Amino acid sequence: MQYRRLGKTNFEVSEISLGTWQVGGTWGSGFDDTLAEKTINEAIDQGINFMDTADVYEAGASEAAVGRVVRSRSEQVYVATKCGRQINPHINENYTPKVLRSYVEASLRNTGLECLDLIQLHCPPTEVYYRPEIFELFDRLKDEGKIKSLGISVEKVEEALKGIEYPNVSTVQIIFNMFRQRPMELFFEQAKKKDIGILVRVPLASGLLTGKFTADTVFGKEDHRFFNRDGAGFDKGETFSGVPYEIGLEAVRRLKSVFPGHTNLAPLALRWILDFPEVGCIIPGASKPEHLLSNCSASVLPSLGTEERKLVEEIYTTLIKPHVHHLW
C-alpha cells in the first residue's frame, strides 16, 4: 500500500481507503455486523488506514461498526464521517449550527471516539455553501476537541469551488472516475493551490467500471442502481455517475478493447484515478473482504500508458461527456 498526504489535514493516508456505505452487505440486503467488522479488519490488515462513513449509512450501523473495529486495533486509523443528510426535508432552511452540532455529538457517541479525525458536510443543498455561520460552527467544534478537520462531500464542481473558499475546509469528497472527468479541470487546479485533500468517491461508477455488468444484470428493488437511475431517491449522479446504463455498458465494452485480457477492470479504473497526483485517496466500497484485494491491487499497478490514457479520454469525450459533463 502506498500513502499520500491528505492536503492540509497532514494525515498520511492509504491511497486506496475504504468507503463503508455498503460494508455490511450488498445494496438492500440489510446490515450484517459480523461481515462489516470482518471487512473493516481486513482493510486494516491490507494497510488501509482511512475509513469513510456517515451517520445515515444503514441508520448509523456502518458508523458504529467502524468505531468498534478502530477502537479494537492498535494501528493509527483515521475515521471520517459525515453529517447533514438526516435533515428532513433536506433543504437549506433546515441547516442550522444547532442541528449540525447535535449530529456531530451523536456521531461521537455512536463511534465511541473522543474526537473525529474528519467531519464532512454530506452533500448539502447548494445554498448552504453561501452561509458562513454553518462553517464557523466547525471552528468551535475543533476548539472543543470534538473534531480535527472539516471537509465537504459535494455533488457538483461548483459546490466544491465555493466550499474551499472557507479557510477551515481541509478536504473535498467528490465523484471522479473514467466516466466523470470534469473535476480534473479547474477544481484540481484550485484544490492544489489551497492544499485541499481530495477524496474520490464513486470511483467505479456504482460498479459499472468493474466490467462485470451486462444488459441482463438484475439489481434488487432496494438497490439504488435499480430505483435511482433517474434520480427518484437522490441525485442521479450518485448512480452509475449519472451515465445512462446502456451507454455505460457500451463504454465498458470499448474499455475492454483498450485493456484486453482483463476481466476485472476495477483495478485499472482505480489506477487511472491514482495517476492524478492531486488525489489524496480513493474510497471504493467493499461489500465483502474479497473486494478489498481487488481494490488494493491498484496501488501496486504501474501507471497507465500514454496511449491507454488517450483511448480512455476518447471514449469519455465521444460517448460519456455529452451526458454528464455539464451537469456535475
Side-chain angles (χ1 to χ4, degrees):
M1 180 62 67
Q2 302 297 312
Y3 298 83
R4 301 185 182 196
R5 177 175 168 273
L6 189 61
K8 56 188 175 182
T9 67
N10 284 319
F11 301 159
E12 290 290 330
V13 301
S14 48
E15 61 183 15
I16 300 294
S17 293
L18 179 64
T20 64
W21 192 359
Q22 74 272 34
V23 73
T26 55
W27 302 109
S29 67
F31 195 85
D32 183 331
D33 282 301
T34 301
L35 176 60
E37 292 179 15
K38 181 179 180 182
T39 304
I40 296 166
N41 273 302
E42 179 65 26
I44 298 172
D45 292 343
Q46 291 297 322
I48 289 174
N49 72 344
F50 184 91
M51 307 284 166
D52 177 80
T53 184
D55 55 6
V56 293
Y57 292 173
E58 294 291 340
S62 171
E63 194 177 58
V66 169
R68 283 196 304 274
V69 174
V70 169
R71 296 196 319 271
S72 74
R73 301 286 298 232
S74 61
E75 298 89 340
Q76 167 71 69
V77 180
Y78 297 101
V79 175
T81 190
K82 308 184 203 66
C83 63
R85 287 307 289 263
Q86 292 189 69
I87 293 172
N88 186 23
H90 190 239
I91 58 176
N92 171 52
E93 290 77 9
N94 288 342
Y95 269 74
T96 68
K98 182 179 179 180
V99 166
L100 292 172
R101 172 184 282 276
S102 72
Y103 292 151
V104 173
E105 292 174 345
S107 289
L108 286 167
R109 293 191 296 271
N110 196 27
T111 59
L113 300 172
E114 293 183 2
C115 179
L116 299 169
D117 295 304
L118 180 65
I119 186 71
Q120 303 157 99
L121 287 171
H122 197 173
C123 299
T126 303
E127 299 94 326
V128 171
Y129 294 97
Y130 291 84
R131 296 175 56 196
E133 76 275 14
I134 296 297
F135 291 83
E136 289 167 359
L137 162 70
F138 296 95
D139 284 331
R140 294 195 291 277
L141 291 171
K142 185 174 182 179
D143 290 342
E144 294 167 15
K146 294 178 178 178
I147 67 169
K148 291 182 181 177
S149 295
L150 169 66
I152 53 176
S153 181
V154 303
E155 300 286 3
K156 301 178 180 180
V157 167
E158 289 80 2
E159 295 167 344
L161 291 169
K162 179 59 184 177
I164 64 176
E165 291 181 7
Y166 294 95
N168 62 347
V169 171
S170 300
T171 64
V172 172
Q173 187 175 144
I174 194 166
I175 298 175
F176 177 60
N177 56 51
M178 288 178 171
F179 289 173
R180 182 77 77 80
Q181 297 190 21
R182 187 178 177 188
M184 64 190 262
E185 298 172 353
L186 179 60
F187 171 64
F188 275 18
E189 173 190 322
Q190 293 301 310
K192 183 177 181 180
K193 286 181 180 179
K194 298 187 177 186
D195 198 19
I196 300 296
I198 296 176
L199 287 68
V200 171
R201 66 190 186 97
V202 197
L204 299 176
S206 307
L208 256 181
L209 283 166
T210 65
K212 297 179 179 180
F213 298 162
T214 70
D216 297 323
T217 299
V218 176
F219 300 101
K221 291 185 178 179
E222 299 300 317
D223 190 322
H224 72 105
R225 294 171 293 189
F226 172 81
F227 70 80
N228 196 56
R229 296 187 190 185
D230 295 317
F234 40 84
D235 190 291
K236 71 176 184 178
E238 300 275 357
T239 301
F240 301 132
S241 294
V243 178
Y245 187 62
E246 295 73 17
I247 298 295
L249 291 179
E250 174 59 20
V252 166
R253 186 189 68 78
R254 297 187 193 184
L255 283 173
K256 287 180 176 179
S257 68
V258 177
F259 304 104
H262 291 273
T263 56
N264 179 15
L265 294 178
L268 295 164
L270 296 176
R271 184 68 250 176
W272 181 88
I273 297 169
L274 290 176
D275 286 343
F276 290 87
E278 297 89 349
V279 170
C281 70
I282 310 176
I283 49 172
S287 58
K288 51 187 177 180
E290 298 88 274
H291 294 160
L292 288 166
L293 301 179
S294 169
N295 295 338
C296 290
S297 69
S299 188
V300 296
L301 286 178
S303 295
L304 300 188
T306 301
E307 185 61 22
E308 290 172 324
R309 298 191 70 83
K310 179 182 177 183
L311 292 171
V312 170
E313 176 66 22
E314 287 178 359
I315 292 169
Y316 174 77
T317 300
T318 60
L319 204 57
I320 302 295
K321 187 174 183 177
H323 297 278
V324 302
H325 200 81
H326 60 295
L327 294 176
W328 295 281

